[in-house]
Amino acid sequence: MNILLPNPRYLLVGESALCVEFGDRIDPALHDRVLGLDHALALAPIPGILETVPTYRSLLIHFDPHCLTTEDLIAAIERREATALPATEKKSWRIPVCYEQPYAEDLSEVAELTGLSPETIITLHVQAIYRVYMYGFAPGFTFLGGLPEALAISRRQAPRAPAPAGSLTIAGGQALITSMAMPTGWYVLGRTPVRVFDLRRPNIFLTDIGDEIRFERIDAATFARLDARAASGDPLVTPL
Amino acid sequence: MRTTGEPSLQVLAALPGATIQDGGRFGHQRHGVTPAGPMDWAAFQTANLALGNKPGAAALEIGAGIELACLNAPLPLAFCGGAYEWRRDGHSLPSSARLVLQPGETLSCRPGPQASREFWGAWTYCAVAGGFATPPVMGSRATHTRSHLGGIDGRMLQKGDQLPAASNDAAILAVTREEGEIDATWLTPHRSPAPINLRVIPGPQDDYFSREMIERFYAGPFRLTPVMDRMAYRLEGPKIVHAKGYNIVSDGIAEGAIQIAGDQQPLVLMADHQPTGGYPKIAHVIRADLGHLAQARPGASLRFTSVTLTEAREALFALEAAILTTPRSIRPFYRPPTTESLSRVNLVDGVIDALS
């Protein structure tokens, strides 16, 4: 075991789940440890584990209490943690984004909040390299880390009207790709024609947790063309 | 349009809160998919087992009231759960029963007087033999209305919906079974004025609260507010103040999580909880008691008691063992004997002998 890394904390989540917590921050190194354990459990499953939920800093393990006790699960994980963590396979994606109106609904609001020009905001957003940290809120809602500090604005006091699927939103120092229209406290900067959640595809969810994402700026005409293709089931993008 | 002669239920009228649920849409929480599934899993499984179904077969969850009609063929069904009044063609039935609905007959339910008098009985379940055959989405028929998945178009049921029953061996077997009341003692309603006691396991963020606040949490009692739905139940009671703030970096969420947000009041996350969230969770309601909590109505008094993992598991296994006795816990309805039924059980010879 790497002595520079503190031991994870095992936190009780009822009798049918266990939280393995590696820290309390948003940090790529912490996230790598979460994914390392997740990957180790996928490669050599512990009987009784039903599913795992990686987040920024912890892995939630749902299990069947008929097959496994919390105590035995902790012991099994500790044996695994003591061995070297296998590297996870991380894919890299280039996602097209249109920052023109009507897709960049809240761009001027973000300009007011940050004191930056709309063009600077777009440049900062499109040039950053993002990591998929977790999913949450609704199926396919992709939470990204890597947003430049200059764009770290707070959430809205009250939610705005629902933003359509494919919206690129920011708030609380994070970026998000949405998958369905829902009211949101975040700010909409652009829209992608890519469906990050599509029940018609074999890979219903586009990306895996840990993947790298870069954005590619497209104009409204390109958006319209790609959107029509995506509407008929084309994933539009493949991992690099 | 359905052209087969398979039995189905048609929704004649539905109040909000009626959905198709199965055991839940598991395996996709890492991608943000809420499992959904029944609010009171014990009542849900009981209804299914009364028909010989698998415990997680798709059934109807009712949160206010519904009126159904049977189409095409006789349909064995079973209902049980909260304090609802059921009627067949207007004639009163027990609140838990198994029966065979004939084509053209109607079945309706609405909350009984106990619902408002004793703040108990929020949900009831109606299973059909073989389960409902609505289209599965990601391996499950459970309805999650917020993400529009499962059931009928991912929404609550409404007038005109047709709910096909899967025809299979269970259906055929159940048709031959007698109608009767389900005597499910493990679903006993809460009738005492004392608070409903909910057993919990502390954690994962109980260290966000001082010892004094933890004691205050377990002293309670709390009252269930009208802000309650399939996603969460909001309670009010003594203020639980955080020692370390209330914003945490998001982590995973399980059903029964008791979250304390900025309003310093407990919010219990129920079947439609999001898979991840960012508020400290002081404890989790054990699985054996999730149904008791789900059946509480606004105004109900609730109290939490801390138990060990072993106690939680034993409570779960004991409840599951009780649910498995469902097929033996059905008391046939009394029906006046007819000449035909008497001759079938061969009483006639005996009667004649006694008279001669």
Side-chain angles (χ1 to χ4, degrees), chain B residues 335-355:
Chain B
R335 273 181 296 185
T338 61
T339 314
E340 196 196 341
S341 67
L342 284 173
S343 63
R344 204 188 304 133
V345 296
N346 200 21
L347 283 172
V348 180
D349 289 351
V351 172
I352 292 167
D353 284 349
L355 289 175

Side-chain angles (χ1 to χ4, degrees), chain B residues 179-322:
Chain B
E179 297 192 338
E181 183 171 358
I182 306 170
D183 188 16
T185 50
W186 53 93
L187 302 178
T188 308
H190 182 80
R191 292 193 178 221
S192 132
I196 299 174
N197 187 43
L198 298 168
R199 291 166 289 182
V200 303
I201 292 172
Q205 280 94 28
D206 46 332
D207 60 343
Y208 272 68
F209 304 92
S210 67
R211 179 190 292 236
E212 185 198 342
M213 287 301 148
I214 300 269
E215 280 169 9
R216 191 181 283 188
F217 173 74
Y218 288 110
F222 295 91
R223 194 165 291 281
L224 179 58
T225 71
V227 185
M228 47 90 78
D229 61 12
R230 280 187 44 88
M231 189 172 183
Y233 281 18
R234 184 170 294 283
L235 314 183
E236 64 184 11
K239 280 206 179 306
I240 311 297
V241 186
H242 307 78
K244 298 201 252 176
Y246 57 83
N247 277 306
I248 63 168
V249 176
S250 286
D251 67 353
I253 287 180
E255 189 175 356
I258 306 170
Q259 182 176 283
I260 313 259
D263 63 357
Q264 301 168 345
Q265 297 287 283
L267 184 76
V268 193
L269 303 178
M270 306 298 284
D272 278 359
H273 68 86
Q274 294 175 354
T276 57
Y279 292 107
K281 296 163 285 291
I282 193 168
H284 281 77
V285 177
I286 69 171
R287 264 167 72 172
D289 287 354
L290 282 174
H292 297 307
L293 169 59
Q295 292 293 4
R297 282 186 173 270
S301 179
L302 308 164
R303 175 175 284 155
F304 300 106
T305 306
S306 167
V307 296
T308 64
L309 287 169
T310 306
E311 287 170 305
R313 283 192 294 262
E314 281 170 0
L316 173 64
F317 300 158
L319 177 55
E320 287 174 331

Side-chain angles (χ1 to χ4, degrees), chain B residues 35-71:
Chain B
M39 291 290 284
D40 180 349
W41 64 266
F44 164 84
Q45 290 193 0
T46 301
N48 271 320
L49 291 185
L51 296 162
N53 289 349
K54 288 184 177 156
L60 192 49
E61 179 178 274
I62 297 152
I66 201 160
E67 191 178 353
L68 305 158
C70 178
L71 300 182

Side-chain angles (χ1 to χ4, degrees), chain A residues 188-209:
Chain A
V188 181
L189 288 189
R191 197 180 311 168
T192 177
V194 173
R195 271 56 166 172
V196 289
F197 170 62
D198 191 338
L199 284 167
R200 297 169 300 180
R201 290 192 308 241
N203 59 328
I204 293 172
F205 304 96
L206 189 73
T207 62
D208 283 324
I209 298 171

